[in-house]
Amino acid sequence: MHELPANFFERLATPALAQNPYAELQRLFVDPAPRLRSGEVVFGHHADVERVLRSPVFLKPRLPPVPLPSVRTMLRMFLLLNAPD
């Protein structure tokens, strides 16, 4: 398993790396996908990201019916929807 430094994304925002981040970004293109120390997996390949987003394992759970229209509206925000909701 490849582990990224805890401050990996913060380092990408530094002026030095902002000019040329490509050498640092190469750390994302390994197999298996690297993890942050917190355990999150970081995908660098578009195909991997697409596969995760389409996988039913990563869908949000179904929510029970909500009586308040304002809450129903909030739950329909695009960030809370599964494709192709």
Side-chain angles (χ1 to χ4, degrees):
M1 173 176 53
H2 302 278
E3 187 175 288
L4 296 172
N7 64 345
F8 179 77
F9 291 106
E10 290 85 5
R11 287 182 19 207
L12 288 177
T14 61
L17 282 177
Q19 296 298 315
N20 186 10
Y22 304 107
E24 191 72 11
L25 289 172
Q26 285 302 312
R27 299 175 85 170
L28 298 178
F29 300 108
V30 295
D31 191 30
R35 290 181 181 264
L36 298 173
R37 286 192 184 133
S38 57
E40 291 128 329
V41 179
V42 181
F43 294 102
H45 293 284
H46 181 269
D48 293 336
V49 173
E50 188 175 32
R51 194 172 18 250
V52 167
L53 291 176
R54 293 182 184 279
S55 170
V57 174
F58 294 97
L59 296 178
K60 71 176 181 71
R62 284 257 182 236
L63 298 173
V66 181
L68 298 172
S70 58
V71 174
R72 277 197 308 269
T73 300
M74 186 179 75
L75 293 175
R76 296 286 305 159
M77 291 183 348
F78 77 95
L79 294 175
L80 300 174
L81 296 178
N82 293 319
D85 287 351

